[in-house]
Amino acid sequence: MGRRVAHGGAVLALAVALALTACSKSPAEQRAAAEQALAEHRFNDARIALVAALEDAPGDAELLGMLAQTHLERGDGEAALAALERLRRAGGGPAAKLDLMEAEAQLLRGQFAAAAALAGKHESAEAYRLRALAAIGTGDLGAAEQLFVSGAGRTGTKVRLYADHAIFALRSGQVPAARALVDKALAADGEALDPLIAEGRIASSEGRPRAALAAYEKAAHLYPESQAALFGRIGVLGDLGRIAEAAPLIAQAAAAAPNDPRVIYLQARLQAEKGEWRAVREALQPLERSELPEVRLLYARALLETGLTEQARTILAGLIRETPGLLPAQRLLGRAQLAGGEAAAAFATLRPVAARPDASPADLSAFAEAAEKSGNASAAREIFAAIPPAQRLARELAAGDAAIRQQKWRAAIESYGRIRAWTGDSNALVLNNLAYAMGQAGDVDGALPLAEKALALAPDNASILDTAGWLALQQGNRERAADLLRRAAATAPDNPAIRAHLREAEAR
């Protein structure tokens, strides 16, 4: 569903250069180059080779069919239609295949009625998929669901139908149904782009970021020009707090499509990580009416951080109206209302957040402030009475542990940072886990002092020795690292991770 995105003018200079080089090749060499590029999913290269080959054979139906498919893969509906018109004049291809290719081109152009009419002439699973996407385009979601279901009983390949149906189910909040559908798609073809992208999105929604990242990385390897795979990788790395790894990918996306709203948003996320909220606000201001909730959410945060509380409240209230229960928006709106002196409104906004079983200490703290300032302290006490202090600590420890297991480093840092605020520097494992998460997120300089504090409290703990040694190695202190890791290996000789760290320290 929406899997292909056309590359913009950033590719033009490269295309011209390659086209000049291509002029020296024979028609047979151009055809072979196009076939190889298509097999390797390098669609920009394929387009250049096909255009050159068609100079010598303008009516070659096979080349025209390849060119039309290439334009579809690149997301260029207009160019695909032009190639299909030439292909029809050349008498190439079965009518059904040409109709479905043209229907997909019309979908890319936003011409949903035309797409539905073309696909409606046929009864294959692919025809039903295209009709379902056309129905989504016109807002008829009930018809789209029926078409997806009916298409599963038709003839022909169903890989893309299952994948698009999975994304549709995910958008409707039906995560188990989406999982079942994407599993069918992957079982049918585990290397097709659509199922891999769907797997990434669904795994993310299931709280399995490592599985999501694996799917996006596989898609990026097999389809090197896929922007969906690129944006998916960036998004998951950002969620995991692995910003240093995301940065070069964002630069890659910006080089390919500098004006793409998704690229602008990702660049703003990098600025937000650095606390550059004024720059974030300026970057996202042209996108304040974006259909992407994450864009408006980050823009509202930037407004709030730069003192434009009223504008932030307006955007956040709109987001919550559109998507009731959007937790990040509720949290920010409560904060904005508190900043604007609307304590009673903040109390009403934050009460359902604080009453959630997974409410964080930060949620509870903000709610307590709103309750006190609005004269509702007794109502707040009722909620807090149901959560004993020990349970709050246990909840935060569980959240931090889960974040580390899932490699969500930012979330782990936040959880263990809150626990440290409660317990001080008295718990070695809290300090160790916080140091480990900070190191994984790239903040080795900030992590190492915490690891040393943990080591002072528990000098014989293998995990703490390993964390301190590994961080020392990252900072370039090989001698100190090797000493700590030898002690860790002696304490836990069967731990493969410690042995691997020690080998690396001794090899440097």
Side-chain angles (χ1 to χ4, degrees), residues 14-16 18-20 22 30 43-53:
L14 177 60
V16 171
L18 290 174
L20 291 173
Q30 295 290 5
F43 301 114
N44 285 318
D45 291 348
R47 177 181 62 84
I48 291 166
L50 287 166
V51 169

Side-chain angles (χ1 to χ4, degrees), residues 284-351:
L284 295 182
Q285 187 171 8
L287 305 178
E288 62 179 311
R289 300 187 185 279
S290 170
E291 295 181 359
L292 300 172
E294 61 269 27
V295 173
R296 284 187 285 161
L297 193 62
L298 184 57
Y299 181 54
R301 171 82 186 276
L303 290 170
L304 187 56
E305 295 288 351
T306 54
L308 299 176
T309 305
E310 181 59 38
Q311 290 174 253
R313 287 204 305 265
T314 300
I315 291 172
L316 292 165
L319 273 171
I320 292 170
R321 280 196 302 272
E322 294 171 18
T323 311
L326 186 61
L327 197 57
Q330 286 180 286
R331 286 172 169 148
L332 269 184
L333 179 59
R335 182 178 155 193
Q337 289 166 332
L338 275 172
E342 299 180 15
F347 176 81
T349 298
L350 294 172
R351 183 168 189 165

Side-chain angles (χ1 to χ4, degrees), residues 27-48:
E29 289 172 328
Q30 295 290 5
R31 183 187 294 265
E35 290 173 347
Q36 182 175 352
L38 282 173
E40 296 172 356
H41 308 121
R42 293 182 290 106
F43 301 114
N44 285 318
D45 291 348
R47 177 181 62 84
I48 291 166

